[in-house]
Amino acid sequence: MLTTVNNDNSFSAFSDCNSDRSAEFSTPSSETRRLLIACAADNSDEFIPHLVLNLHSCSIEDQKQATMEIRLLAKNKEENRVKIAKAGAIKPLVSLLSSSSDLQLQEYVVTAILNLSLCDENKDLINSSGAVEPLVVALETGTPTAKENAACALLRLSRREEDKVAIGRAGAIPPLVKLLEGGGLRGKKDAATALYAVCSAKENKVRAVRAGVMRALVELMADLGSSMVDKAVYVVSVVVGVVEGRAALVDEGGIPVLVEIVEVGTQRQKEIAVGVLLQICEESWVYRTMVAREGAIPPLVAFSQSQSHSHSNRPRHKAEKLIELLRQPRSGNGAGRS
């Protein structure tokens, strides 16, 4: 039985995929429009139906304006998110996202859907309206902001196991891995957060491995001075839950990187790295030998001793269990590369 890394505070390692952090209006009248929308927010019962009506307009400019205003109204007020959904905005927003080839409109719609998805009441309606597939398209083809916000929206829509499976089957994993590899810092953070969430589903772990996630994660872990190390180690801890993930981690040179993290990483990084090494060593003598040859035992002993006064005994117990495995002589039935 494989040990799993289970940390209740793991999401604190990730970026906040909350309401959008993109720029507001870029028109000369942006300040005026923000003021008007702020005023309208106090009388939104009359203002919101007008915006929803404009989503059906034949004018793309009207559609853009309505979508931007819906986005702003939904950005910070839970009450407005509920009102906008009840006014019937979600289905036309999804329709626009599915049908429009205008990248700016796509970005506005993705961001509006992200903001609306922050309300738990709206999540099921967004999913049932078919938003996942066009969000995946935006993740593949959109502007940098659209890709980042699409990753956040998919995270918000992945509450249940069946939602995570549906997101994986819609093709989200490869573009999330691509964003992790080549996005800006915010894009990498958002991709890592979404991957951590959706890869709790076993079939998505396999998809992530096939999409090359482990190479990107090992590279991120190896940059010990970056802000991505915690996030990368957490995603690795999920993906190694399948045999393909463990093999990919080893093939991409992850063992020496994890041993280095145990030696010089932060406390949280060390804890998760120890858990990952334990997972890959529990059922494979070959991997144990590789870990031991990297000189893992001394930093593991030091880590275990440093935990003697810790509030939780779990990290120390994992380190001690791993040390015991690494010191065991080779057994006749334990040589499988699993």
Side-chain angles (χ1 to χ4, degrees):
M1 183 74 175
L2 281 174
T3 297
T4 57
V5 176
N6 190 3
N7 189 315
D8 293 336
N9 296 318
S10 57
F11 263 103
S12 65
F14 294 104
S15 60
D16 284 332
C17 275
N18 291 324
S19 61
D20 70 275
R21 293 149 286 179
S22 45
E24 305 297 353
F25 298 117
S26 57
T27 61
S29 59
S30 59
E31 293 298 328
T32 302
R33 295 216 56 86
R34 277 199 293 272
L35 178 60
L36 288 173
I37 291 171
C39 295
D42 295 327
N43 195 24
S44 55
D45 288 343
E46 296 179 9
F47 189 52
I48 288 172
H50 173 71
L51 295 178
V52 174
L53 186 63
N54 281 349
L55 293 177
H56 298 278
S57 171
C58 295
S59 164
I60 192 169
E61 294 306 318
D62 287 347
Q63 293 170 346
K64 286 181 181 180
Q65 196 65 51
T67 304
M68 285 192 295
E69 293 173 6
I70 286 172
R71 182 194 107 199
L72 284 183
L73 285 169
K75 185 170 183 176
N76 296 312
K77 292 191 70 173
E78 181 81 355
E79 180 184 1
N80 284 342
R81 294 169 190 147
V82 174
K83 289 180 179 179
I84 290 166
K86 287 184 175 179
I90 289 175
K91 288 187 177 180
L93 283 170
V94 172
S95 179
L96 285 176
L97 188 57
S98 302
S99 61
S100 177
S101 59
D102 186 285
L103 290 179
Q104 188 179 51
L105 179 57
Q106 180 192 60
E107 178 184 317
Y108 294 162
V109 176
V110 166
T111 309
I113 290 174
L114 164 61
N115 291 351
L116 291 169
S117 73
L118 299 177
C119 173
D120 285 342
E121 282 186 48
N122 294 340
K123 287 181 170 67
D124 287 343
L125 179 56
I126 294 171
N127 276 323
S128 65
S129 297
V132 168
E133 289 189 6
L135 282 171
V136 171
V137 173
L139 187 60
E140 293 173 322
T141 65
T143 66
T145 297
K147 290 178 180 180
E148 293 162 357
N149 288 342
C152 286
L154 290 169
L155 167 69
R156 293 297 169 187
L157 297 175
S158 65
R159 284 187 305 173
R160 301 170 302 192
E161 190 74 4
E162 57 264 36
D163 298 329
K164 296 171 184 179
V165 169
I167 287 168
R169 291 179 181 177
I173 305 298
L176 283 172
V177 171
K178 190 173 181 180
L179 184 60
L180 182 69
E181 292 172 327
L185 180 58
R186 181 193 152 190
K188 290 178 186 292
K189 289 179 178 180
D190 293 343
T193 309
L195 284 166
Y196 180 81
V198 300
C199 284
S200 65
K202 183 177 180 179
E203 64 184 69
N204 287 343
K205 302 183 207 292
V206 177
R207 290 189 178 98
V209 173
R210 291 174 179 169
V213 73
M214 203 58 79
R215 176 176 298 178
L217 292 171
V218 170
E219 289 179 358
L220 291 169
M221 289 193 302
D223 186 3
L224 288 173
S226 82
S227 62
M228 286 297 300
V229 177
D230 288 29
K231 301 162 186 61
V233 178
Y234 272 114
V235 180
V236 167
S237 74
V238 173
V239 178
V240 295
V242 292
V243 61
E244 296 91 340
R246 299 190 289 278
L249 174 64
V250 174
D251 291 344
E252 295 296 342
I255 287 176
V257 174
L258 287 166
V259 172
E260 184 178 12
I261 290 173
V262 174
E263 188 170 6
V264 301
T266 66
Q267 178 67 22
R268 177 163 59 183
Q269 291 166 4
K270 289 179 180 182
E271 289 179 10
I272 304 304
V274 168
V276 172
L277 288 169
L278 180 57
Q279 284 189 79
I280 68 172
C281 287
E282 278 185 311
E283 295 187 358
S284 173
W285 181 88
V286 173
Y287 294 164
R288 291 178 209 169
T289 301
M290 296 173 72
V291 172
R293 285 176 179 169
E294 287 297 331
I297 292 178
L300 283 168
V301 170
F303 174 76
S304 176
Q305 292 173 345
S306 74
Q307 298 299 299
S308 58
H309 300 295
S310 173
H311 293 297
S312 172
N313 290 323
R314 291 180 62 193
R316 179 168 57 86
H317 288 161
K318 287 184 178 182
E320 291 173 350
K321 184 176 181 181
L322 179 55
I323 292 166
E324 182 182 355
L325 284 173
L326 297 179
R327 286 175 170 167
Q328 284 178 358
R330 178 173 182 173
S331 60
N333 59 2
R337 194 173 188 268
S338 59

